[in-house]
Amino acid sequence: MLKQISDVVLKAGSIVSSGFHSAKTIKHKGEVDLVTEYDIRTENFLKEKLQKIFPSFTIIGEETHAEGKYPSENVIFIDPIDGTTNFVHGVPFVALSVGVITDTETKYGVVYNPVLDELYSAETGKGSFCNGLPIKVSETSSLINSLISTGFPYKKDNLPYLMKVLEEVLKTSRGIRRAGAASLDLCYTARGIYDLYYETRLQPWDMAGGLIIVREAGGIVTKLDGRYHDMDSDSLIASNGLLHREFLNLLNEIR
Ligand code: IPD
Ligand code: CA
Ligand code: CA
Ligand code: CA
């Protein structure tokens, strides 16, 4: 099954990479929240192909889903281009993300950066891979030696809190990155490039593919209060596990 999903995502990736190097039509969903014809084309392609593999599943894609509550099982979340702002500006940190959720948790996750040609995949109990090679989280055990990643929501209503956290993380870590694609932030954590990644106000399609890739690489993913993250929260901390307690303590001091 993972191979079938990966093959579909790889094919869809050629739509994204062709768009990356071409002129595109940009529409605004909000003041700074963009969408292009390539987001829609890629989503429609993924939906059609994945529905054939999983005929009884509900498919929710960022750009074409109907408003309302999402099912918690037998559902596939698709982000056709995670990092649309990067895509529009030519920053090669973009990905297609697919998370297949059977029993409230992701069973298969596939995240593909078609510009750098990096395919991340995981299936429950079988480990995580990048281009077929196993990946593992880092072994960094203190925040001061760690590289932390984060992102910021399009809606700017929670900025004072986020800036406070940012200030404390800057003081306590080796550095912060904001690369602009949540699914790849998760994969870079799974690969041990980032030691920890946190973000608030994410959508299920940002997280579903990457969550299992972190866990199967030996990392942990929780909500901001430290409880297990099972897709019921829009905020998360993903780490190598060793840094989690120190990071939670840091957040607790800010609250
Ligand atoms: C966004 C990216 C970004 C994150 C935003 C997401 P999009 O997704 O993942 O890194 O900070 O919260 O909405 O809109 O490019 O698919
Ligand atoms: Ca996204
Ligand atoms: Ca997107
Ligand atoms: Ca978007």
Side-chain angles (χ1 to χ4, degrees):
M1 223 33 130
L2 189 62
K3 165 92 174 68
Q4 273 178 283
I5 303 164
S6 301
D7 286 347
V8 167
V9 173
L10 282 168
K11 279 205 187 102
S14 61
I15 306 175
V16 178
S17 56
S18 72
F20 188 76
H21 300 285
S22 322
K24 31 208 165 272
T25 309
I26 299 153
K27 290 207 173 112
H28 285 252
K29 300 200 281 184
E31 200 176 18
V32 293
D33 186 359
L34 311 176
V35 61
T36 71
E37 71 272 41
Y38 290 97
D39 297 72
I40 315 274
R41 267 177 59 196
T42 308
E43 181 157 319
N44 285 336
F45 179 92
L46 285 170
K47 266 170 60 179
E48 191 202 319
K49 303 288 179 203
L50 291 170
Q51 195 76 79
K52 285 193 182 128
I53 306 176
F54 297 96
S56 64
F57 278 54
T58 306
I59 302 190
I60 309 281
E62 175 183 6
E63 309 300 350
T64 59
H65 70 92
E67 289 305 321
K69 240 180 143 302
Y70 313 126
S72 57
E73 45 191 70
N74 294 345
V75 57
I76 301 175
F77 288 107
I78 295 176
D79 195 337
I81 302 182
D82 187 32
T84 298
T85 308
N86 285 344
F87 181 72
V88 164
H89 286 265
V91 180
F93 205 70
V94 296
L96 300 83
S97 176
V98 171
V100 179
I101 292 169
T102 48
D103 183 12
T104 71
E105 286 198 40
T106 319
K107 170 120 171 99
Y108 306 102
V110 176
V111 174
Y112 179 47
N113 180 336
V115 185
L116 303 181
D117 195 23
E118 285 175 354
L119 180 83
Y120 299 88
S121 61
E123 173 179 351
T124 314
K126 303 213 168 146
S128 292
F129 298 85
C130 175
N131 291 345
L133 298 175
I135 52 172
K136 279 265 156 275
V137 292
S138 74
E139 291 179 3
T140 311
S141 59
S142 60
L143 283 182
I144 198 64
N145 292 325
S146 66
L147 187 61
I148 312 270
S149 172
T150 191
F152 305 104
Y154 294 119
K155 223 171 141 203
K156 304 284 189 295
D157 57 338
N158 201 17
L159 274 188
Y161 173 71
L162 291 181
M163 290 304 113
K164 252 183 152 175
V165 175
L166 201 61
E167 186 182 340
E168 289 312 310
V169 176
L170 268 175
K171 284 190 214 154
T172 328
S173 68
R174 191 174 276 179
I176 298 187
R177 297 292 178 268
R178 193 285 191 251
S183 60
L184 289 175
D185 289 322
L186 288 165
C187 291
Y188 274 36
T189 306
R191 209 172 147 185
I193 295 172
Y194 298 146
D195 301 296
L196 182 145
Y197 160 60
Y198 73 95
E199 186 160 350
T200 61
R201 307 272 165 86
L202 290 167
Q203 299 288 343
W205 44 82
D206 298 314
M207 305 181 281
L211 279 184
I212 185 176
I213 296 174
V214 173
R215 288 188 174 129
E216 287 295 322
I220 64 173
V221 187
T222 70
K223 306 176 198 185
L224 295 191
D225 62 6
R227 281 181 299 150
Y228 188 79
H229 189 291
D230 52 7
M231 293 293 296
D232 58 341
S233 165
D234 64 358
S235 305
L236 57 75
I237 307 168
S239 85
N240 63 6
L242 304 171
L243 296 165
H244 229 83
R245 177 44 52 201
E246 196 185 347
F247 193 79
L248 286 169
N249 290 345
L250 181 146
L251 290 186
N252 281 337
E253 280 163 28
I254 297 169
R255 258 189 215 110

